């Protein structure tokens, strides 16, 4: 039996990100979206590790604008991103965390993702309304 650990350092965050996106790339619904948009997975996984390390371990490494990125993805997908897509993403995120980790930071990772998914979708929706 694999013992779960706490998320304590960058290598833990990277394990979470790499494991999660391996699932997403194979996901029946989400896979085609991500695989059509992301061309350089290695650099994307590094960027996402920076993002989640900033969120979970308070390391200031991430530089970017997730709202603008998600608005652009929605535009490339002909404004077809739905709350269900975010729900599927969250289900896989939670499952991956539960498979690998336990503890307070794992709980924070779930909580932040849930809040961010709502915020990102609301920003996508508002951006559509402003640009139609």
């Amino acid at each position: 039996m694999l013992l779960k650990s706490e998320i304590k350092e960058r290598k833990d965050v990277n394990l979470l990100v790499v494991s999660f996106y391996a699932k997403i790339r194979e996901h029946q619904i989400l896979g085609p979206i991500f695989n059509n948009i992301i061309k350089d997975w290695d650099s994307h996984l590094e960027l996402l590790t920076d993002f989640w390390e900033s969120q979970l371990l308070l390391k200031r490494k991430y530089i970017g604008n997730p709202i603008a990125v998600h608005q652009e993805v929605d535009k490339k997908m002909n404004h077809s991103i739905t709350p269900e897509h975010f729900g599927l993403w969250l289900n896989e995120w939670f499952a991956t965390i539960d498979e690998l980790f336990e503890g307070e930071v794992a709980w924070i990772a779930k909580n932040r993702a849930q809040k961010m998914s709502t915020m990102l979708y609301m920003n996508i929706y508002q951006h559509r309304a402003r640009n139609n």
Side-chain angles (χ1 to χ4, degrees):
M1 182 177 133
L2 181 68
L3 291 177
K4 295 180 191 180
S5 63
E6 297 211 19
I7 301 171
K8 294 179 184 171
E9 55 189 343
R10 183 177 178 87
K11 72 176 182 67
D12 302 324
V13 175
N14 184 255
L15 175 62
L16 172 58
V17 167
V18 169
S19 300
F20 170 71
Y21 280 100
K23 291 180 184 182
I24 291 298
R25 292 175 78 177
E26 299 295 321
H27 193 277
Q28 185 177 1
I29 295 169
L30 299 177
I33 296 169
F34 281 84
N35 290 319
N36 287 331
I37 299 289
I38 299 164
K39 301 304 178 202
D40 180 354
W41 273 99
D42 289 338
S43 67
H44 192 67
L45 293 172
E46 198 63 29
L47 179 70
L48 290 171
T49 299
D50 288 348
F51 175 81
W52 283 105
E53 186 180 22
S54 297
Q55 291 292 312
L56 303 176
L57 304 177
L58 306 178
K59 306 283 185 182
R60 299 277 178 196
K61 291 187 177 182
Y62 176 75
I63 299 171
N65 184 339
I67 293 171
V69 169
H70 286 82
Q71 289 170 342
E72 187 61 28
V73 168
D74 184 57
K75 182 179 176 183
K76 287 179 182 176
M77 298 301 300
N78 296 315
H79 306 291
S80 63
I81 303 297
T82 67
E84 288 78 17
H85 290 111
F86 283 92
L88 293 169
W89 188 99
L90 277 173
N91 286 341
E92 292 296 334
W93 181 251
F94 280 31
T96 305
I97 292 168
D98 288 342
E99 288 166 16
L100 298 171
F101 298 104
E102 62 186 6
E104 183 180 3
V105 178
W107 181 86
I108 291 168
K110 291 177 184 179
N111 189 278
R112 292 255 168 95
Q114 194 164 22
K115 288 179 179 181
M116 276 188 276
S117 71
T118 301
M119 178 272 298
L120 288 170
Y121 185 74
M122 290 307 301
N123 276 278
I124 286 171
Y125 185 79
Q126 291 166 351
H127 187 254
R128 285 180 194 168
R130 284 192 301 268
N131 292 297
N132 281 337

